[in-house]
Amino acid sequence: MTSLDRTKTVAQIVIEHSECARVFQEHHIDFCCHGNVTLDEACASGPARVAVITADLERAIAERGGAPATDDVQALSVPALVARLVDRHHGYLRRTLPFVTPLLAKVARVHGEHNPKLEGLHGELLELVTELEPHLDHEEAVLFPALMAGAPDRASAAAELRAMFEEHQAVGARLARMRALADDFTTPEWGCGSYRALMKELQELETDLLRHVHLENHVLMPRFAGPTAS
């Protein structure tokens, strides 16, 4: 049966066991922007937390039945990986952000008196949209075509990828602030249907963005620029 190798980095664990991404997300372990650390290094609070997370990771792997992953992202060619990023993850953001932004504005307007953090959450989402839209456009128009060129300029590609990585770090920090302001995406007892829908959408947004950034940082980038620093 496949087992967890704790000598590997958090990012490597997710590459080999995609089901572990959900566990790291639940435990607020950043596997995308700060994934080049071991589980022990990621758990600053010590061995007790490591033991809990390790048990959850091993349970997730066991629930998959120990079968090899059917979705080996490392085996994808650069064009196939880029197509996956654009079709699945960029496409998701382009569909979701125009929907969730006015939904959050509505919930903040209606329930802001009960929960003042909603206004801050709305501001963070607007900033996220402002950052992501040009980021996606640049990747699709400049970065990805350069990487798929027959003989890409490796120095230029490395510089572009490192700029991408720095922008990802800002996105990761913003996602953490949004989760905190959303109280881990929980709906209070007085929350309405729109509030519940918003929390579900925001959690799904975080989930997709974490997997999106992970693929770019830890699968695409090392092919051209070497491993990222955490």
Side-chain angles (χ1 to χ4, degrees):
M1 178 179 290
T2 305
S3 59
L4 180 69
D5 183 351
R6 278 180 49 190
T7 67
K8 296 194 172 182
T9 66
V10 168
Q12 288 170 332
I13 290 171
V14 173
I15 288 172
E16 295 181 8
H17 307 284
S18 59
E19 65 276 12
C20 290
R22 171 182 53 80
V23 177
F24 285 131
Q25 183 181 2
E26 289 172 352
H27 286 282
H28 303 180
I29 297 292
D30 184 347
F31 61 87
C32 59
C33 295
H34 299 282
N36 286 330
V37 294
T38 65
L39 183 56
D40 287 358
E41 292 169 331
C43 295
S45 54
R49 188 176 183 219
V50 172
V52 170
I53 297 175
T54 297
D56 287 348
L57 292 169
E58 290 177 339
R59 187 178 304 111
I61 293 171
E63 286 173 356
R64 200 187 69 198
T70 58
D71 189 19
D72 184 1
V73 291
Q74 292 282 47
L76 294 175
S77 66
V78 171
L81 182 56
V82 166
R84 178 192 181 110
L85 287 164
V86 172
D87 295 343
R88 182 177 300 187
H89 296 293
H90 287 205
Y92 168 81
L93 288 170
R94 294 188 190 282
R95 292 188 305 272
T96 299
L97 293 175
F99 168 73
V100 75
T101 304
L103 177 60
L104 176 48
K106 171 188 173 183
V107 172
R109 184 175 64 253
V110 173
H111 296 295
E113 284 191 20
H114 287 90
N115 183 3
K117 288 189 287 186
L118 288 169
E119 189 57 39
L121 180 60
H122 183 227
E124 291 288 350
L125 179 62
L126 291 176
E127 290 294 330
L128 182 68
V129 172
T130 299
E131 293 165 352
L132 282 176
E133 287 180 344
H135 179 86
L136 300 180
D137 290 342
H138 184 78
E139 286 186 341
E140 293 174 15
V142 179
L143 175 59
F144 291 163
L147 297 181
M148 292 189 291
D153 182 321
R154 297 190 72 84
S156 175
E160 284 278 355
L161 285 161
R162 293 196 180 279
M164 175 197 76
F165 179 73
E166 291 176 3
E167 292 174 3
H168 286 169
Q169 288 184 304
V171 169
R174 195 170 300 285
L175 286 176
R177 292 195 294 273
M178 288 175 64
R179 175 179 275 272
L181 288 166
D183 297 317
D184 283 342
F185 309 117
T186 57
T187 301
E189 290 184 3
W190 46 261
C192 63
S194 292
Y195 201 125
R196 287 191 295 275
L198 173 66
M199 293 300 107
K200 179 176 180 292
E201 290 290 337
L202 290 176
Q203 186 163 27
E204 289 176 355
L205 174 65
E206 181 193 79
T207 296
D208 193 84
L209 258 174
L210 290 176
R211 284 152 178 75
H212 172 181
V213 171
H214 167 70
L215 284 178
E216 292 186 350
N217 284 357
H218 300 293
V219 180
L220 180 65
M221 184 173 177
R223 299 187 188 188
F224 299 92
T228 57
S230 291

